[in-house]
Amino acid sequence: MLSFLYARQSGLDDPVRLRRAESTRRVLSLELNHNRDVDRIHGNGINTLDIEVIDGRYMLSGGSDGIIVIYDLENNSKKPQYTCKAICTVGRSVCRHVHKFSVETVQWYPHDTGMFVSSSSDKTMKVWDTETLKPAEEFQFDGNVYCHHMSPVARKHSLVAVGTKDPKVQLCDLKSGSRIHILQGHRGEILSVRWSPRYDHILATASTDIRVRIWDVRRASGSLFTLDQHNGDKSKASSEAVNTAHNGRVNGLCFTADGLHLLTTGTDDRMRLWNSGTGENTLVNYGKVVNESCKGLKFTVSRGCSPEFVFVPCGSSVAVYGLHSGELITMLRGHYNNVDCCEFHPDYQELYSGGKDCNILAWVPVLRQPGIEDDETNSKRGGTQAAINPAFEDAWSSDVD
Amino acid sequence: MSYNYVVTAQKPTAVNACVTGHFTSAEDLNLLIAKNTRLEIYVVTAEGLRPVKEVGLYGKIAVMELFRPKVCVRTHPEELSLKQASSVRKYRLGLTRVGDLLLITGAALLTRCALNSQVIDVQFLYGCQAPTVCFIYQDPQGRHVKTYEVSLREKEFNKGPWKQENVEAEASMVIPVPEPFGGAIIIGQESITYHNGDKYLAIAPPTIKQSTIVCHNRVDPNGSRYLLGDMEGRLFMLLLEKEELMDGAVVLKDLHVELLGETSIAECLTYLDNGVVFVGSRLGDSQLVKLNVDSNDQGSYVAVMETFTNLGPIVDMCVVDLERQGQGQLVTCSGAFKEGSLRIIRNGIGIHEHASIDLPGIKGAVKCSSSSSRSTASVLELSRLVKHTAVSFTTHTHTTEPYCTVVVFTCVCVQITSVSVRLVTQDSKALVSEWKEPQGKNISVASCNSTQVVLAVGRVLYYLQILTGELKQISSTEMEHEVACLDITPLGESAGESSICAVGLWTDISARLLKLPCFSPLHKEMLGGEIIPRSILMTTFEGSHYLLCALGDGALFYFGLDIQTGVLSERKKVTLGTQPTVLRTFRSLSTSNVFACSDRPTVIYSSNHKLVFSNVNLKEVNYMCPLNSEGYPDSLALANNSTLTIGTIDEIQKLHIRTTVAEKEVKGAVYSMVEFNGKLLASINSTVRLYEWTAEKELRTECNHYNNIMALYLKTKGDFILVGDLMRSVLLLAYKPMEGSFEEIARDFNPNWMSAVEILDDDNFLGAENAFNLFVCQKDSAATTDEERQHLQEVGLFHLGEFVNVFSHGSLVLQNLGESSTPTQGSVLFGTVNGMIGLVTSLSESWYSLLLDLQNRLNKVIKSVGKIEHSLYPSFSLMRSGSSLKIKLIHSFLTLGSEGRQSKLFFPSLAPHCVLLSSEHLYLLVSLSLKHYICKSVGGAKPAVM
């Protein structure tokens, strides 16, 4: 650390390097910390989590019990130990607008915390006003809504992509409050939809038809391309498996922070990394990523680290992989039942995960301890860390931006 | 709400990049130096480097290449900068040129081509059909070199002519080799390799293993010699030995590396001409070195010709007042590795010492201009001067002491001694005329100009006129008290003759103005106090007349003077020193200045019609006289009790840096330590810990605070402690002495990665963060809820573009010089990685809005270099109310010069952009400008603005 500080001070290193190295160290030291608890509100499994990006302060959770909870992640206790308080709950007792069935996805409006959107298996998607906790808008669909997503970067449109039981992807416009467009191509239920964090109009969709399609929503005719796990090599695939992303239902999508790559998960227990510009399978081998979820799987990637990591629910644990190496770095064990979602806090390198055991667990980096302990932990940790974290040993700076 | 004004005191001095080439015109050989956000353009002349222009950019220069289309006679700086700027903002790595094609390559672009790998370096190759890039990249297997052809039509990369897998693990640089060799040289940690697809040649000279080569520059256009510089500051020459084959083709035969010698640690190298190399350094002083054919005694081929001071990286600094005179000096920890040094920075005027001689018993210095041949060598001139001085003093010991010698005409001079006034011809030294006091009393004080003499004998004043070959007494008068000092410097257009006599008296401590020749009183000014005036002087600065009167205790009164009526106005007082002060005028760079001789010599001059008092880098000066001879043009002769020094005054307000070297070693991860109420406060990793001294002189932990990620910085004020965290912005703690514990008062919850913190006042806190921004947080004591009180509100954001390492309260200027009219409060200095020193000071709201308005209007008027909008520069997307002002524009405004200001801002045709400024406002701007200027040249500093 001192050498990093010195290099930053003397201008030998770009200041970003210290930040990347320390972020990486922190991700590698994530553990279930007794200093941090999250209020337990949900009476049933937790399907979805979302942390807003404006202040990085408020987190939404949606549960199988139809309840939505907002947590304050900020530590006002003046002590290192604290509990993230639930500051409001959209529950049955207080709100008649509450979702009737399981809430599948919640997402903050990316540009303002005054609004968030939830979708549920009660065939509705609701746009909530955070102040009043009343729906400002409600969209009805014909089937269960599995997923929805708003573009984190788009300023010119306010489209919500919605995936339902229907193979058609729906685009709802928040400005007009109407469904304005459908994207046709899939032949199965849509389990996950994600906008690119790089381009306003690029959308990825995943379906039970074991395919992943990339769309430019400005184009009327079909998708841009379909991800092919064999990169067009027909000899490896049976005829019906051409242009498939997985050999099972594709239930999870996640772009990397720079939008250059896309991760997909499928019930074939595989995770794949794709070049999002060309659709090429990068063939990074993550090994077996157990995936029993019949609905959408919410997984996430780190931001600001070097190298970057993937956090993916895997049974009752969260598996941490090197994004580009495919190496399994650690399993975060703590839940008593299957984990369904996890969300990364990029400001403080913390991970929140929600599972069927009704708990939200906070995974917090271990602090460097003062005094003598420091040497011991460092020497213990140092070996494994240096092996995984090249930012700690190498002289070159990473330039992935 | 807090309003702050951020100003540059010293521009960045660290050199990031440099290039040589024909830039200002096809004939000029130019050196372009990039210093973070500034670009300096020099012309290389036989005499050395001549600065042409310096431009500021709203961006940081990352890479710089000279780009010259084939048919271009003249490239505007703007054009070049535009390219740099865009490269800076969009790309990280490559900006390279092939023929007349400028191509900008970004690492990200290449990274897309080579997944899961890091691009280390990229360059364009010479002699290829299609533009071809050659790059080193790293993947989990190691480092490899690859080439790609750039398809201009598809704007894509295609497979290139050759590649080389598994080059050295630490290969870090690609040097493209021009024809006839072609190909590229790969520089690694231990080896240097040449590749061109067919041929592969590697050498591993032992000398380069010691350190890492960080920069290179091609010497010859044909690419047969290259300069290499490493992290230890060693300079190498890489030679490519050629071989002519039977078929006439020229191929590479061998590579040689030779150690040339040691320079500063180079960041960039550029070969100028005639064996002269510019060594640009970020970690130490930049140098201009000459490569000699033969080595010197130490075996070095390198001779340093010129050194360019660099303060960066300023790792730490503090303001000290060594002489306890309210004059701050800044001590910085500058440089890194072998360039590490402590530097002392003070403002003031520098005297470059040219000659000095130990000469005990000097009682005065007089100017003696000999009419004999002036074309003598400087040594001779010196000896003559010394001889004269010596002679005049030896004569006094025997006879009488001359007060004053003045050359009246070309061949006559007046010599005033304590007994008489003598008119002497200069050549023959023959006495022409002599005047003595009728009773033979001693002359106590006298003053004369080229036509008049006024002298005092006790209380009686005599007025003499100098006529051809005769001294004639015109009048005399008796004053109420004894005369202490006199002056008849002619002012205004009354060439050579003064109609006013200024007199300072004993007993009633007054300054009076009398009309000549009748000695009728015009004005009487009581100075008050009990200290007698010791020196009085009438002078003109920038067309305004002033009367200066120095007292025996070092205080100085000054007044505006009406030379017609003799009326004094605008009385002001400053303290210059502690000893009796003698005032003398001299001219420097065709402006008149006053030198105040005392224990703290000061130069008084005027800037924008304000008197500025600037210290001189000398200990004590008793007497001074200007000297302008062949050997010492525009010089000053300065004398103290034992030494006579001849020196030139440098351009007013300049940085003076003395360098010493120091080392310090610290063990453990203690990031910060401060003295706190007689105890020791330290931050150890995430803990803030207070130690107290036990009776056994041991440190005992008194209390801890744990709620941080990594407490890197500490600042204290009273019982308050400001903690700067690695990544959690700032936290305010209060120490409870009764309980012996810390209490968290408030925290800024933004995820700022801090680089320095400072307490501005009880409610406002200044921070600098990783992304080159400054911000001000405010404590909201009036908040109604606990939660609000716990939040420090970010009230000001400012994009500085420099990585701040340290804040320090204090100022480089005199704090007690007169009453200041600048509407600013407090002063915090900051030092950055690139050697920049700046100042943050608080403004009132009204001034803030005025300046903000001015800034916004200036934005519309002042064109930015490279057409980068000023508004794009701040990367802080949120500019909230109460933010700090951007000084860059204000600075541009000031550099416009008064004419430019007039035309650009106040000219009616530009009405929409006009700022209507009242005279008061202009006054402020000028005050700020002075402050600015000071700081701009750091030494300068605050010319006590009156």
Side-chain angles (χ1 to χ4, degrees):
Chain A
M1 189 65 202
L2 282 172
S3 66
F4 271 97
L5 280 172
Y6 178 74
R8 182 175 80 158
Q9 238 177 13
S10 55
L12 294 171
D13 275 356
D14 191 312
V16 175
R17 229 186 123 218
L18 167 78
R19 188 178 169 155
R20 283 205 188 115
E22 181 62 15
S23 300
T24 311
R25 188 199 71 80
R26 287 171 62 83
V27 169
L28 288 171
S29 69
L30 282 176
E31 65 168 30
L32 200 55
N33 201 308
H34 63 272
N35 280 347
R36 190 80 54 90
D37 282 318
V38 182
D39 269 349
R40 190 175 154 157
I41 305 290
H42 289 284
N44 211 327
I46 291 150
N47 291 329
T48 173
L49 291 171
D50 190 43
I51 300 171
E52 46 91 13
V53 294
I54 312 276
D55 299 319
R57 180 172 177 182
Y58 300 107
M59 181 168 75
L60 281 171
S61 72
S64 301
D65 50 3
I67 291 175
I68 299 168
V69 184
I70 303 175
Y71 302 90
D72 183 357
L73 302 181
E74 207 161 77
N75 178 4
N76 289 320
S77 71
K78 304 187 177 183
K79 288 196 290 283
Q81 298 82 16
Y82 76 103
T83 302
C84 299
K85 296 223 163 37
I87 47 172
C88 39
T89 307
V90 186
R92 289 193 201 291
S93 54
V94 289
C95 180
R96 61 189 169 84
H97 306 287
V98 67
H99 282 292
K100 292 186 183 65
F101 305 119
S102 166
V103 176
E104 292 300 320
T105 311
V106 281
Q107 192 192 3
W108 289 102
Y109 179 63
H111 310 300
D112 191 354
T113 53
M115 187 159 85
F116 62 89
V117 180
S118 67
S119 59
S120 160
S121 6
D122 67 1
K123 303 180 185 176
T124 62
M125 178 173 78
K126 296 184 182 187
V127 182
W128 301 83
D129 180 335
T130 317
E131 283 296 311
T132 60
L133 288 183
K134 292 204 173 88
E137 197 77 62
E138 203 172 317
F139 295 90
Q140 284 285 346
F141 297 93
D142 300 334
N144 290 356
V145 184
Y146 289 118
C147 54
H148 73 266
H149 196 236
M150 286 174 280
S151 168
V153 288
R155 295 250 171 206
K156 288 182 186 142
H157 70 76
S158 43
L159 296 177
V160 190
V162 186
T164 65
K165 228 177 163 62
D166 191 276
K168 295 195 257 313
V169 178
Q170 318 266 343
L171 292 181
C172 302
D173 190 358
L174 288 182
K175 275 185 199 142
S176 62
S178 59
R179 280 185 267 169
I180 58 160
H181 199 42
I182 50 167
L183 304 172
Q184 280 182 321
H186 282 296
R187 274 178 252 153
E189 299 172 356
I190 310 294
L191 294 181
S192 184
V193 288
R194 283 284 169 149
W195 292 94
S196 160
R198 198 178 184 90
Y199 305 105
D200 282 6
H201 299 99
I202 301 296
L203 177 73
T205 57
S207 161
T208 54
D209 66 2
I210 66 172
R211 287 183 168 84
V212 174
R213 290 180 183 273
I214 309 288
W215 312 78
D216 183 334
V217 296
R218 291 167 299 185
R219 282 166 46 136
S221 58
S223 59
L224 286 176
F225 51 82
T226 310
L227 300 184
D228 179 10
Q229 55 182 317
H230 302 298
N231 283 337
D233 188 346
K234 295 206 168 54
S235 62
K236 286 183 184 164
S238 54
S239 58
E240 64 268 23
V242 168
N243 281 341
T244 56
H246 285 265
N247 297 324
R249 295 190 303 275
V250 189
N251 60 2
L253 286 175
C254 183
F255 279 95
T256 56
D258 56 12
L260 293 177
H261 295 101
L262 175 67
L263 281 156
T264 60
T265 54
T267 52
D268 56 352
D269 292 344
R270 297 282 162 207
M271 178 158 70
R272 299 214 157 89
L273 180 71
W274 311 81
N275 181 326
S276 60
T278 62
E280 186 194 4
N281 183 357
T282 63
L283 302 172
V284 174
N285 182 10
Y286 298 96
K288 186 176 178 183
V289 183
V290 177
N291 187 338
E292 293 153 354
S293 177
C294 39
K295 296 188 289 190
L297 185 72
K298 274 90 180 176
F299 67 106
T300 188
V301 289
S302 65
R303 261 165 282 171
C305 299
S306 169
E308 298 283 10
F309 303 96
V310 192
F311 306 94
V312 56
C314 203
S316 62
S317 321
V318 178
V320 184
Y321 290 94
L323 176 66
H324 289 292
S325 67
E327 186 187 359
L328 175 65
I329 286 155
T330 183
M331 297 288 275
L332 303 175
R333 294 175 211 278
H335 282 282
Y336 299 121
N337 205 332
N338 279 3
V339 183
D340 284 323
C341 54
C342 56
E343 180 74 10
F344 183 72
H345 196 307
D347 293 343
Y348 302 119
Q349 295 81 40
E350 294 162 351
L351 187 76
Y352 294 85
S353 63
K356 288 202 167 56
D357 61 356
C358 315
N359 284 324
I360 296 174
L361 297 184
W363 307 86
V364 180
V366 180
L367 282 182
R368 287 162 187 265
Q369 294 303 312
I372 310 146
E373 298 157 311
D374 196 37
D375 302 330
E376 288 174 15
T377 47
N378 265 4
S379 58
K380 257 192 258 160
R381 198 173 285 281
T384 53
Q385 220 169 58
I388 306 161
N389 186 357
F392 268 89
E393 53 173 17
D394 255 328
W396 47 270
S397 76
S398 53
D399 287 287
V400 197
D401 56 357
Chain B
M1 196 59 84
S2 148
Y3 298 94
N4 293 291
Y5 183 75
V6 180
V7 68
T8 310
Q10 156 86 13
K11 289 176 207 157
T13 51
V15 174
N16 310 82
C18 55
V19 286
T20 319
H22 303 284
F23 182 58
T24 48
S25 82
E27 291 78 40
D28 291 348
L29 181 64
N30 296 107
L31 171 65
L32 283 86
I33 301 173
K35 294 179 174 175
N36 197 20
T37 57
R38 305 200 73 80
L39 181 68
E40 293 177 7
I41 303 163
Y42 294 88
V43 177
V44 181
T45 64
E47 292 78 42
L49 296 178
R50 183 167 57 80
V52 177
K53 195 166 169 61
E54 189 190 331
V55 286
L57 301 170
Y58 296 134
K60 291 159 74 79
I61 298 169
V63 208
M64 180 164 72
E65 281 278 345
L66 208 56
F67 166 64
R68 191 164 57 91
K70 274 175 187 161
V71 269
C72 181
V73 186
R74 187 187 166 83
T75 320
H76 292 289
E78 282 77 6
E79 281 178 38
L80 177 92
S81 315
L82 172 67
K83 269 139 204 157
Q84 287 158 358
S86 57
S87 79
V88 174
R89 297 204 349 251
K90 287 186 186 144
Y91 305 94
R92 285 283 301 274
L93 216 87
L95 170 68
T96 325
R97 135 184 81 110
V98 171
D100 55 353
L101 232 160
L102 180 93
L103 293 166
I104 301 164
T105 354
L109 205 60
L110 283 171
T111 307
R112 285 190 72 161
C113 303
L115 173 89
N116 198 9
S117 62
Q118 309 276 348
V119 175
I120 311 293
D121 192 18
V122 55
Q123 290 288 339
F124 279 89
L125 292 178
Y126 292 93
C128 299
Q129 291 292 316
T132 305
V133 290
C134 174
F135 62 98
I136 307 177
Y137 69 99
Q138 162 144 4
D139 67 13
Q141 281 74 48
R143 293 197 182 179
H144 319 285
V145 176
K146 229 180 195 175
T147 55
Y148 275 143
E149 276 183 3
V150 183
S151 157
L152 294 174
R153 195 181 301 159
E154 285 109 46
K155 299 194 174 71
E156 270 296 345
F157 288 117
N158 299 327
K159 211 168 171 194
W162 54 273
K163 64 177 183 179
Q164 175 73 41
E165 291 196 337
N166 292 316
V167 294
E168 200 203 295
E170 298 296 321
S172 58
M173 287 192 300
V174 179
I175 310 176
V177 181
E179 309 246 58
F181 299 134
I185 296 167
I186 316 294
I187 307 277
Q189 174 73 35
E190 295 183 344
S191 65
I192 296 172
T193 321
Y194 172 83
H195 287 283
N196 70 355
D198 312 324
K199 198 171 169 76
Y200 168 92
L201 192 67
I203 54 164
T207 47
I208 67 162
K209 285 181 193 168
Q210 201 175 324
S211 185
T212 311
I213 291 171
V214 287
C215 53
H216 61 86
N217 183 244
R218 191 176 76 212
V219 177
D220 309 301
N222 68 6
S224 59
R225 289 186 296 171
Y226 295 86
L227 286 166
L228 305 174
D230 75 5
M231 272 306 282
E232 284 184 3
R234 294 182 304 163
L235 194 63
F236 298 95
M237 183 75 89
L238 172 66
L239 300 148
L240 275 61
E241 197 183 318
K242 67 180 174 185
E243 184 179 38
E244 216 159 311
L245 295 181
M246 302 288 280
D247 59 358
V250 178
V251 295
L252 183 75
K253 189 182 170 201
D254 205 359
L255 297 166
H256 297 284
V257 172
E258 233 173 283
L259 176 64
L260 296 178
E262 200 166 310
T263 62
S264 291
I265 298 174
E267 172 73 10
C268 53
L269 292 166
T270 183
Y271 184 83
L272 298 176
D273 207 0
N274 288 331
V276 178
V277 177
F278 178 79
V279 179
S281 181
R282 216 157 36 101
L283 304 172
D285 293 344
S286 294
Q287 292 173 326
L288 202 59
V289 299
K290 171 110 182 141
L291 305 179
N292 296 321
V293 181
D294 302 310
S295 63
N296 64 9
D297 303 341
Q298 283 84 44
S300 169
Y301 296 90
V302 178
V304 177
M305 295 166 72
E306 202 176 338
T307 301
F308 305 88
T309 302
N310 172 22
L311 289 179
I314 300 173
V315 178
D316 200 0
M317 66 180 194
C318 69
V319 181
V320 290
D321 182 9
L322 287 176
E323 276 116 42
R324 297 189 180 281
Q325 286 165 335
Q327 160 89 44
Q329 295 193 351
L330 190 65
V331 181
T332 63
C333 301
S334 294
F337 304 114
K338 76 175 178 100
E339 314 290 347
S341 63
L342 283 180
R343 294 180 184 224
I344 300 162
I345 298 156
R346 51 170 291 189
N347 77 66
I349 291 188
I351 300 283
H352 296 292
E353 195 174 298
H354 291 306
S356 86
I357 182 162
D358 284 340
L359 202 65
I362 296 177
K363 298 243 174 84
V366 293
K367 179 168 141 187
C368 164
S369 184
S370 168
S371 61
S372 59
S373 162
R374 287 177 160 244
S375 59
T376 40
S378 56
V379 180
L380 220 111
E381 194 85 31
L382 169 71
S383 64
R384 184 168 342 111
L385 181 99
V386 171
K387 189 174 146 208
H388 175 86
T389 333
V391 165
S392 39
F393 290 111
T394 40
T395 48
H396 295 327
T397 48
H398 298 300
T399 59
T400 50
E401 183 175 335
Y403 288 115
C404 158
T405 311
V406 172
V407 181
V408 181
F409 303 110
T410 43
C411 54
V412 195
C413 75
V414 178
Q415 192 178 35
I416 305 168
T417 69
S418 53
V419 290
S420 66
V421 180
R422 298 144 66 98
L423 201 59
V424 184
T425 58
Q426 215 168 13
D427 288 341
S428 57
K429 307 275 187 291
L431 184 65
V432 177
S433 173
E434 186 172 20
W435 178 93
K436 285 188 180 174
E437 207 274 338
Q439 278 105 48
K441 283 187 190 164
N442 276 5
I443 298 168
S444 49
V445 284
S447 171
C448 81
N449 56 38
S450 56
T451 57
Q452 301 160 297
V453 178
V454 171
L455 51 90
V457 178
R459 286 157 54 180
V460 187
L461 280 175
Y462 293 94
Y463 172 48
L464 313 181
Q465 260 189 344
I466 304 164
L467 305 173
T468 323
E470 190 195 354
L471 283 168
K472 186 178 173 197
Q473 182 180 334
I474 304 293
S475 59
S476 72
T477 188
E478 188 168 344
M479 304 298 292
E480 299 146 55
H481 306 286
E482 202 169 319
V483 176
C485 50
L486 273 177
D487 184 53
I488 52 163
T489 308
L491 297 182
E493 285 149 17
S494 57
E497 192 172 314
S498 174
S499 60
I500 302 179
C501 170
V503 184
L505 296 187
W506 287 76
T507 317
D508 72 343
I509 318 291
S510 65
R512 295 169 192 232
L513 289 156
L514 309 172
K515 191 160 180 62
L516 288 178
C518 57
F519 284 121
S520 59
L522 293 170
H523 189 88
K524 176 172 150 188
E525 184 79 27
M526 304 305 289
L527 300 177
E530 291 174 352
I531 313 293
I532 57 152
R534 294 296 284 264
S535 184
I536 196 162
L537 185 75
M538 294 183 287
T539 187
T540 307
F541 293 123
E542 294 188 295
S544 308
H545 307 295
Y546 294 88
L547 177 76
L548 312 176
C549 182
L551 308 188
D553 62 352
L556 176 84
F557 283 94
Y558 65 99
F559 310 89
L561 170 66
D562 184 330
I563 53 166
Q564 300 305 320
T565 61
V567 173
L568 299 179
S569 57
E570 296 177 55
R571 166 181 169 141
K572 298 232 172 81
K573 184 185 175 184
V574 289
T575 304
L576 297 180
T578 57
Q579 300 288 314
T581 304
V582 176
L583 301 169
R584 290 298 181 92
T585 53
F586 70 97
R587 293 185 76 78
S588 163
L589 304 167
S590 72
T591 57
S592 61
N593 303 288
V594 170
F595 196 99
C597 312
S598 73
D599 58 331
R600 260 178 79 215
T602 305
V603 169
I604 305 164
Y605 62 98
S606 172
S607 173
N608 295 318
H609 296 281
K610 277 171 189 296
L611 286 200
V612 178
F613 299 81
S614 215
N615 296 91
V616 177
N617 61 344
L618 292 175
K619 272 241 164 351
E620 184 180 6
V621 174
N622 294 347
Y623 296 97
M624 167 279 191
C625 81
L627 181 70
N628 191 4
S629 66
E630 197 75 11
Y632 300 100
D634 258 336
S635 301
L636 305 177
L638 306 153
N640 61 21
N641 279 335
S642 57
T643 316
L644 177 77
T645 306
I646 299 170
T648 49
I649 194 148
D650 57 25
E651 212 176 318
I652 300 281
Q653 292 196 343
K654 209 186 150 188
L655 171 76
H656 292 285
I657 298 166
R658 279 184 280 162
T659 303
T660 54
V661 181
E663 271 185 353
K664 194 183 167 215
E665 201 174 336
V666 182
K667 278 184 183 171
V670 179
Y671 293 111
S672 181
M673 284 197 295
V674 282
E675 188 269 342
F676 182 69
N677 297 344
K679 296 167 183 169
L680 176 71
L681 187 70
S683 69
I684 303 155
N685 285 355
S686 61
T687 312
V688 178
R689 185 172 290 171
L690 187 65
Y691 290 104
E692 57 183 359
W693 287 99
T694 60
E696 294 81 43
K697 292 281 168 212
E698 280 173 353
L699 286 173
R700 193 181 66 81
T701 305
E702 186 182 339
C703 54
N704 284 308
H705 176 263
Y706 293 106
N707 196 6
N708 302 294
I709 288 175
M710 195 173 289
L712 292 183
Y713 311 102
L714 294 174
K715 284 285 160 81
T716 61
K717 184 172 195 278
D719 282 336
F720 290 102
I721 303 160
L722 186 70
V723 183
D725 193 85
L726 173 72
M727 53 188 288
R728 277 175 79 191
S729 200
V730 295
L731 164 74
L732 185 66
L733 293 177
Y735 172 62
K736 303 273 169 196
M738 301 307 285
E739 292 99 30
S741 68
F742 292 125
E743 190 200 350
E744 260 191 58
I745 303 292
R747 177 189 283 279
D748 173 23
F749 282 91
N750 291 300
N752 292 322
W753 290 66
M754 303 306 294
S755 68
V757 297
E758 185 57 270
I759 301 176
L760 287 177
D761 55 43
D762 287 344
D763 290 324
N764 291 293
F765 309 95
L766 178 66
E769 52 97 298
N770 222 28
F772 316 115
N773 298 306
L774 299 180
F775 64 91
V776 176
C777 282
Q778 197 169 48
K779 188 173 78 179
D780 190 1
S781 310
T784 45
T785 68
D786 236 17
E787 198 202 309
E788 278 171 44
R789 267 195 295 277
Q790 273 185 43
H791 277 79
L792 288 175
Q793 296 297 330
E794 261 183 14
V795 292
L797 299 165
F798 180 83
H799 182 67
L800 184 70
E802 281 272 347
F803 189 85
V804 175
N805 269 332
V806 56
F807 286 116
S808 174
H809 271 286
S811 159
L812 292 172
V813 297
L814 285 173
Q815 297 297 333
N816 57 350
L817 272 190
E819 63 274 44
S820 170
S821 63
T822 46
T824 62
Q825 273 193 333
S827 151
V828 172
L829 293 165
F830 58 84
T832 75
V833 160
N834 286 308
M836 171 182 167
I837 295 171
L839 184 80
V840 178
T841 180
S842 295
L843 285 176
S844 69
E845 185 179 355
S846 53
W847 285 120
Y848 170 77
S849 41
L850 171 84
L851 288 168
L852 186 66
D853 189 28
L854 177 67
Q855 172 179 291
N856 290 339
R857 283 157 195 263
L858 284 168
N859 247 332
K860 297 177 185 152
V861 177
I862 295 171
K863 288 194 188 74
S864 73
V865 174
K867 302 201 175 79
I868 307 169
E869 292 292 316
H870 180 248
S871 55
L872 288 176
Y873 182 46
S875 66
F876 256 128
S877 50
L878 308 159
M879 289 299 291
R880 296 181 205 165
S881 63
S883 68
S884 308
L885 273 171
K886 280 160 262 168
I887 191 55
K888 297 219 167 218
L889 279 169
I890 305 283
H891 171 63
S892 313
F893 170 67
L894 294 162
T895 51
L896 280 177
S898 57
E899 226 170 87
R901 272 177 246 165
Q902 291 284 331
S903 63
K904 296 230 174 183
L905 281 167
F906 310 115
F907 203 69
S909 69
L910 277 170
H913 303 317
C914 271
V915 187
L916 291 172
L917 293 169
S918 68
S919 59
E920 189 197 2
H921 291 178
L922 268 176
Y923 189 65
L924 161 89
L925 271 178
V926 172
S927 319
L928 284 172
S929 82
L930 276 174
K931 188 170 249 189
H932 183 86
Y933 184 66
I934 314 163
C935 295
K936 195 177 76 185
S937 48
V938 170
K942 194 155 46 167
V945 178
M946 300 297 165

